[in-house]
Amino acid sequence: MNGLADQEDLCLRFDVLTKTKQPELHRYWTQRDRAATVRLFHLAAEILHAIELGVFVPNPGWQCKDCPYRSRSWAAG
Ligand code: SF4
């Protein structure tokens, strides 16, 4: 959408590497239409605006133990 690529060529794929005894790579292609891309753009813009205003909505979980902001996060526990 920023003009750096042909929108028809833009794709998103999740590559999932299983940590099993016999590792496997699974690839899942996603499909987006223009309306979904526009919704994502607006959502990202709203979130960036909230960050600029100092809004912080914590998402505590397994990732907190390695988070560089842990000492400053009231939600880390
Ligand atoms: S420590 Fe705080 S900022 Fe870091 S992941 Fe956890 S909730 Fe988010």
Side-chain angles (χ1 to χ4, degrees):
M1 293 182 73
N2 63 8
L4 297 176
D6 182 350
Q7 289 188 36
E8 302 303 318
D9 291 337
L10 292 177
C11 299
L12 178 63
R13 182 185 74 209
F14 292 101
D15 288 347
V16 179
L17 180 61
T18 62
K19 293 174 65 176
T20 55
K21 186 174 182 180
Q22 184 73 35
E24 294 179 12
L25 177 64
H26 299 276
R27 291 189 160 152
Y28 301 97
W29 288 93
T30 67
Q31 294 183 333
R32 301 284 189 278
D33 59 11
R34 180 168 175 75
T37 303
V38 169
R39 282 195 301 274
L40 175 61
F41 177 83
H42 285 291
L43 179 61
E46 290 288 328
I47 291 170
L48 287 173
H49 184 62
I51 291 171
E52 288 170 357
L53 293 176
V55 174
F56 171 65
V57 180
N59 183 22
W62 59 267
Q63 71 281 3
C64 291
K65 71 178 177 63
D66 296 321
C67 177
Y69 302 103
R70 182 185 174 97
S71 63
R72 298 173 56 191
S73 175
W74 55 265

